[in-house]
Amino acid sequence: RILQDDISCDVIKISGLVRNKERFVKRRRRLIGPNGATLKAIELLTECYILVQGNTVSCLGGFSGLKQARRVVVDTMNNIHPVYNIKTMMIKRELMKDPTLKAESWDRFLPKFKKTSVKRKKPTKVREKKVYTPFPPAQQESKVDKELASGEYFLKPNQQKMKRKEEQKQKQAAAAAKRQAKREESFIPPTEAPAKQEPESTEADSIDIERLKEKVRKAKKRKSSQVAEPEPTPTPEKKKKKMRR
């Protein structure tokens, strides 16, 4: 097909359009679509054969179709979904059939898509910029320099050993004291909350107590009166004897 006069080839390099590898793979997958549906739609509208392979997209077809295919590929890699371009191409194909609209502009028929700017995620850790200094940082002291500063360098090997042993003993004593303090923490009694003081009896409380006393007295009087009064004993009914004559 490439040897025909009305057919040409275009190889689009897409590797330099996106820096991040993950974004590059995601946008290339977007160009192909689920089961190659998006790529098939672009092929039908542009009347070109399109192959996506690695870092390039190769197209084979007519000049006008190659122009449209290149625009769709570049827009997709620049984070514009291919569906928008497919919609505009479908509308243009329908408008081309009407001869009255040849001299008019098609802007009123084409869809206008708003660009939505997504807010960038703020990094969790913000690094503070250090003050720039043309001079390199100070060189760290070596082991020999530290020994010269402390005077250990001039000591004899026996004296050096004795000094190291003393330092080790001091470290061991500090660690033992720390462990002992940790053990003694479990024997420290917990702090108790102060006992709550009972509120002093007010006048209202004293009035209530007196009323209760009066009620108890009245109840006792009622009980005593009920015990003092003897209950009436039931009298047996006298049966009337019928006199027989």
Side-chain angles (χ1 to χ4, degrees):
R1 288 180 65 187
I2 193 68
L3 297 171
Q4 294 176 14
D5 294 336
D6 58 339
I7 289 171
S8 54
C9 179
D10 188 11
V11 179
I12 306 158
K13 194 178 180 182
I14 57 173
S15 61
L17 297 172
V18 184
R19 289 183 181 180
N20 194 353
K21 193 175 180 181
E22 290 179 5
R23 286 181 188 172
F24 172 76
V25 172
K26 199 183 283 183
R27 289 174 191 180
R28 188 178 64 182
R29 201 182 298 152
R30 195 185 293 167
L31 182 65
I32 297 163
N35 299 322
T38 309
L39 197 68
K40 192 71 181 173
I42 296 162
E43 284 180 352
L44 291 167
L45 289 166
T46 56
E47 296 177 358
C48 295
Y49 172 74
I50 302 166
L51 178 69
V52 180
Q53 184 67 38
N55 296 331
T56 55
V57 179
S58 48
C59 309
L60 188 72
F63 180 75
S64 61
L66 289 174
K67 203 174 178 181
Q68 288 177 340
R70 178 176 269 276
R71 191 187 300 115
V72 173
V73 171
V74 172
D75 286 350
T76 305
M77 298 311 290
N78 288 329
N79 203 18
I80 296 167
H81 207 279
V83 171
Y84 300 142
N85 285 313
I86 288 165
K87 280 184 180 179
T88 52
M89 282 193 286
M90 286 171 73
I91 292 162
K92 281 179 181 178
R93 179 174 273 194
E94 293 296 321
L95 291 169
M96 282 169 74
K97 294 175 183 177
D98 193 357
T100 56
L101 297 169
K102 281 186 179 179
E104 297 179 14
S105 71
W106 295 348
D107 292 339
R108 54 185 175 149
F109 301 109
L110 298 173
K112 292 176 182 178
F113 304 106
K114 291 180 181 180
K115 290 182 180 179
T116 55
S117 59
V118 182
K119 289 182 178 180
R120 191 183 175 187
K121 289 181 180 179
K122 291 182 179 179
T124 51
K125 290 182 180 179
V126 181
R127 292 181 182 177
E128 293 181 357
K129 288 185 177 179
K130 295 178 181 179
V131 181
Y132 172 73
T133 53
F135 306 105
Q139 192 175 359
Q140 291 182 350
E141 290 183 348
S142 64
K143 192 178 179 181
V144 177
D145 292 336
K146 288 176 182 176
E147 285 178 358
L148 285 166
S150 62
E152 286 182 33
Y153 186 78
F154 304 104
L155 293 173
K156 290 177 182 180
N158 294 333
Q159 291 175 339
Q160 286 179 0
K161 281 181 183 179
M162 289 290 288
K163 194 173 183 181
R164 283 172 199 162
K165 281 181 181 179
E166 285 176 6
E167 286 175 359
Q168 197 172 359
K169 281 179 183 178
Q170 287 175 2
K171 285 179 183 178
Q172 286 174 356
K178 201 175 183 181
R179 282 196 298 271
Q180 190 65 26
K182 200 172 184 180
R183 284 174 195 157
E184 287 174 357
E185 279 179 4
S186 57
F187 298 106
I188 295 167
T191 53
E192 294 180 357
K196 291 182 179 179
Q197 293 180 355
E198 293 182 358
E200 295 178 358
S201 59
T202 55
E203 292 178 0
D205 295 339
S206 63
I207 292 161
D208 292 338
I209 290 159
E210 287 174 3
R211 283 179 185 174
L212 286 167
K213 284 179 180 178
E214 286 177 4
K215 284 181 181 178
V216 170
R217 284 171 192 166
K218 286 177 182 178
K220 282 181 179 179
K221 283 179 183 179
R222 282 177 193 169
K223 283 182 181 178
S224 61
S225 62
Q226 284 176 4
V227 171
E229 292 176 1
E231 291 181 358
T233 54
T235 56
E237 292 180 356
K238 293 179 180 179
K239 293 180 180 180
K240 293 179 181 180
K241 293 180 180 180
K242 291 180 180 181
M243 298 297 288
R244 287 183 185 182
R245 288 180 183 179

